[in-house]
Amino acid sequence: MIDIQNLSKIYKTKSGTVTGVDNVSLTVYEGEIFGIVGYSGAGKSSLLRCINLLERPTLGTIRVDGVDLTSLKSEELRAARLKIGMIFQHFYLISQKTVYENIAFALKAANLPKNQVQKRVEDLLEMVGLSDKKDVYPSQLSGGQKQRVGIARALANDPKVLLCDEATSALDPTTTKSILNLLKKINKELNITIVLITHEMNVVKEICNRMAIMQEGRVIEEGSVYDVFASPKADLTKEFIESVVSFEIPDVILDGCEGPIVKVTFRGQVAGEGVISDMLQTFQVKGNFLHGSIEYIQDLPLGIFIMELKGKQEEIQAALTYVEKRAAQVEVLRDGI
């Protein structure tokens, strides 16, 4: 659906050139929700704006639904953009127009016949749950309601792709969850491909199928959300994940541990099985649980446990080998004292 190859965006400033996006190649599949994560200045917003050519790439190509947008002339590009909706962090609604008029404006700009506008707007308002707000002005809406209007407006021309630029960053946690549920509904019911940029890993964990981590204009890690959470490679990825799934143990607890401390990660259905209890019964090893939880990502369980093991070294090693054979990933965080 979206194929980005060797894309770079270089900005010219008074003090020289700045590379916003540095040789990025990504593929977003049809019908999926793809998350792009990074801190401010990582290049994720620049990359997103290049996808619909709000910013023209310095180098590289962008194909959306098989069409190379970088090769299109002005009129062709305007037509192609109608199939790429976009929602923003700050809504950008027209304050002097009602909710109905804000959505209708997008349809009129696309030259939809007048006799079709009303029905289309009413259908969109029903989809986003704002049928009772059509005659209300933006100043009378909550932040979540404003974003729902923004989503309805982005869907006005029946796009195939929806680009979300920090769509939930200005919202409280409860409202964020409701907007994410709406996006999941839109993705499922309309089969719209969604690209979502954010600095919040909770958002990615909640809604995305696959993801990429950006740093200094480059993609440093990508994959399914489940795989990235289960086996992060880059230090920045680990930092982001720890903001959602924290396993920091106070030094006063660690100082009291004499045996090796291990982190055991269980993937898939095995996370719900009694692997550790089986291990403790099978081998002459005692376990002191320091931390643990089971997270659910795309409805798949991911179990992470940190524990101190006590016993003879050969028994501990045999126990860890046993756990690894049961589809677990074992990492020794600290050898015994």
Side-chain angles (χ1 to χ4, degrees), residues 45-98:
S45 290
S46 294
L47 177 60
L48 193 78
R49 289 194 295 270
C50 283
I51 291 176
N52 61 358
L53 263 66
L54 284 179
E55 294 195 15
R56 185 166 285 275
T58 308
L59 297 168
T61 59
I62 299 169
R63 292 182 179 274
V64 177
D65 202 20
V67 178
D68 182 0
L69 299 187
T70 56
S71 68
L72 299 182
K73 296 178 180 178
S74 296
E75 283 191 25
E76 295 171 323
L77 181 57
R78 278 195 292 271
R81 280 189 181 135
L82 291 177
K83 294 303 178 183
I84 305 174
M86 191 161 185
I87 59 176
F88 305 90
Q89 177 182 356
H90 298 297
F91 321 127
Y92 297 120
L93 303 179
I94 304 170
S95 59
Q96 296 85 3
K97 293 184 180 292
T98 64

Side-chain angles (χ1 to χ4, degrees), residues 165-179:
D165 189 358
E166 297 278 10
T168 60
S169 294
L171 306 176
D172 63 76
T174 301
T175 306
T176 291
K177 190 170 183 63
S178 73
I179 293 298

